[in-house]
């Protein structure tokens, strides 16, 4: 398959979707991002990389980091994690409070904000320095030693993170957060601020396309069983309240972030990342979603 040609065609065919969505504006630093940007990278399990657009430009991965902390927490404590977080799609927005009250402080899944706060709470508990542990994981798995937090973005989000603090305090009132809430939200906002390119994200996610082993260096990241679980969770919960239409149109496990990134995997084949900052009403990249729909159409690659 000529991935380079396919990516070029996608880049051309998605031009018409610019100007419809809106850049995330509830995090002041993200509101400054130039909306008119696009990058897309395919990384195959054989180690080939194909890119178009600004694939060397780092951007804020935001909620894509929820996959990282979920995979880390699952690897560190196993299925016990599910005593604190569910496995069902939420059908509501990523920062909703309503369900939490009805469900006694147990978030529906690890990919809404409340669920990612639970994974982060576990990482704080189980690692000497959570900031360092998360950064090391990302650097090692994506083979990019200079990936870092974007401290401008994390400070900016921390100034406007009252809703996330509310979610964390609320869960704590049910006994489902063990550590200090202010510290927890600080670590959470830092991992959301991780700044990466589409190429780095595609490399990072390759272990999920390869039964838990990073094909770029042969190192096991999670067990085969856990890789399957992470992918299942992305398929059913990775795109908030767009998850059904995304599965219908694209047909691959994926995770989005309000920085405009989406990364997905076709197990056994590849990972694919796209970035374009304008978002649809659910907080997913609008052009990025269209690009992945076209990718699925042009390649016929799907898990179904
Ligand atoms: N840091 C963002 C928040 O907590 C992440 C949201 C997202 O990317 N959907 O609101």
């Amino acid at each position: 398959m000529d991935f380079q040609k396919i990516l070029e065609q996608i880049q051309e065919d998605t031009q018409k979707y610019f100007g419809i969505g809106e850049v995330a504006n509830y995090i002041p630093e993200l509101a400054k991002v130039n909306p008119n940007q696009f990058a897309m990278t395919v990384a195959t399990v054989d180690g080939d990389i194909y890119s178009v657009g600004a694939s060397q430009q780092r951007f804020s991965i935001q909620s894509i980091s929820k996959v990282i902390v979920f995979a880390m927490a699952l690897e560190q404590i196993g299925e016990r994690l599910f005593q604190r977080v569910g496995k069902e799609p939420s059908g509501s927005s990523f920062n909703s409070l309503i369900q939490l009250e009805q469900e006694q402080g147990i978030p529906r899944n690890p990919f809404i904000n409340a669920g990612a706060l639970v994974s982060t709470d576990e990482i704080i508990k189980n690692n000497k320095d959570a900031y360092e542990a998360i950064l090391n994981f990302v650097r090692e798995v994506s083979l990019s030693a200079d990936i870092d937090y974007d401290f401008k973005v994390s400070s900016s989000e921390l100034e406007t993170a009252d809703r996330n603090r509310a979610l964390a305090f609320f869960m704590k009132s049910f006994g489902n957060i063990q550590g200090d809430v202010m510290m927890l939200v600080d670590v959470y906002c830092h991992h959301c601020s991780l700044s990466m390119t589409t190429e780095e994200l595609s490399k990072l996610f390759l272990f999920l396309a390869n039964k838990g082993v990073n094909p770029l260096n042969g190192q096991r990241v999670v067990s085969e069983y856990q890789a399957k679980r992470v992918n299942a969770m992305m398929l059913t919960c990775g795109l908030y309240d767009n998850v059904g239409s995304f599965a219908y149109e694209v047909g691959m496990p994926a995770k989005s972030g309000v920085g405009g990134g989406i990364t997905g995997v076709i197990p056994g084949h590849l990972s694919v990342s796209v970035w374009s900052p304008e978002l649809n009403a659910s907080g997913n990249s609008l052009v990025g979603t269209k690009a992945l729909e076209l990718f699925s159409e042009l390649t016929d690659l799907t898990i179904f």
Side-chain angles (χ1 to χ4, degrees):
M1 191 144 9
D2 190 344
F3 283 118
Q4 193 58 43
K5 211 165 146 209
I6 288 169
L7 292 182
E8 281 160 19
Q9 184 172 347
I10 293 171
Q11 185 176 27
E12 200 180 307
D13 291 355
T14 48
Q15 287 301 315
K16 57 178 180 281
Y17 298 112
F18 279 94
I20 304 170
E22 268 184 52
V23 171
N25 53 15
Y26 71 101
I27 300 174
E29 202 56 31
L30 291 185
K32 295 183 190 162
V33 173
N34 169 12
N36 205 7
Q37 301 189 80
F38 182 84
M40 192 163 182
T41 298
V42 168
T44 70
V45 292
D46 300 327
D48 297 320
I49 309 277
Y50 307 87
S51 291
V52 286
S55 61
Q56 303 304 315
Q57 162 89 37
R58 288 190 168 141
F59 60 92
S60 192
I61 73 166
Q62 292 297 319
S63 281
I64 301 176
S65 68
K66 290 170 178 165
V67 180
I68 300 164
V69 289
F70 173 54
M72 285 178 74
L74 197 58
E75 197 274 323
Q76 290 175 3
I77 68 157
E79 293 292 303
R80 268 194 300 129
L81 183 62
F82 293 108
Q83 292 167 6
R84 305 179 57 188
V85 62
K87 303 186 181 95
E88 303 297 341
S90 71
S92 54
S93 69
F94 58 79
N95 54 10
S96 169
L97 274 152
I98 294 174
Q99 255 167 11
L100 263 188
E101 162 126 61
Q102 286 162 346
E103 297 175 3
Q104 281 78 49
I106 307 285
R108 269 288 167 98
N109 66 67
F111 295 157
I112 50 175
N113 289 12
L117 286 162
V118 166
S119 306
T120 308
D121 190 47
E122 277 297 341
I123 291 171
I124 294 171
K125 197 172 79 185
N126 298 311
N127 298 270
K128 232 172 52 210
D129 181 335
Y131 300 95
E132 201 178 273
I134 295 167
L135 201 52
N136 283 345
F137 179 95
V138 171
R139 286 176 173 174
E140 275 165 26
V141 181
S142 57
L143 309 179
S144 286
D146 65 343
I147 290 172
D148 215 337
Y149 299 119
D150 181 333
F151 297 105
K152 269 192 182 165
V153 172
S154 56
S155 319
S156 177
E157 183 170 2
L158 279 162
E159 279 169 26
T160 55
D162 290 329
R163 204 179 171 91
N164 286 325
R165 289 187 194 98
L167 287 166
F169 274 120
F170 199 52
M171 287 189 285
K172 195 168 172 104
S173 77
F174 285 100
N176 197 24
I177 290 295
Q178 289 150 10
D180 175 68
V181 164
M182 300 312 258
M183 160 89 172
L184 171 60
V185 174
D186 196 89
V187 175
Y188 170 86
C189 288
H190 276 82
H191 68 63
C192 287
S193 85
L194 279 164
S195 188
M196 296 176 67
T197 66
T198 51
E199 194 175 311
E200 288 163 342
L201 273 173
S202 289
K203 287 183 179 168
L204 177 68
F205 272 58
L206 270 179
F207 74 96
L208 293 172
N210 195 45
K211 301 184 173 179
V213 174
N214 184 350
L216 300 174
N217 61 7
Q219 279 180 15
R220 179 163 291 287
V221 181
V222 294
S223 69
E224 183 173 344
Y225 172 93
Q226 288 165 338
K228 176 180 161 190
R229 264 63 193 173
V230 176
N231 288 338
M233 204 65 79
M234 288 203 288
L235 184 72
T236 52
C237 310
L239 280 100
Y240 312 117
D241 40 345
N242 280 155
V243 77
S245 51
F246 189 87
Y248 187 88
E249 299 292 347
V250 182
M252 72 168 82
K255 183 74 200 81
S256 62
V258 293
I262 308 175
T263 299
V265 295
I266 302 283
H269 280 271
L270 54 80
S271 64
V272 53
S273 302
V274 62
W275 171 58
S276 192
E278 292 177 342
L279 308 179
N280 64 20
S282 300
N284 299 315
S285 173
L286 192 145
V287 177
T289 304
K290 293 289 178 196
L292 288 169
E293 286 175 20
L294 271 171
F295 182 78
S296 156
E297 200 180 304
L298 295 171
T299 61
D300 266 339
L301 285 167
T302 171
I303 63 159
F304 297 112

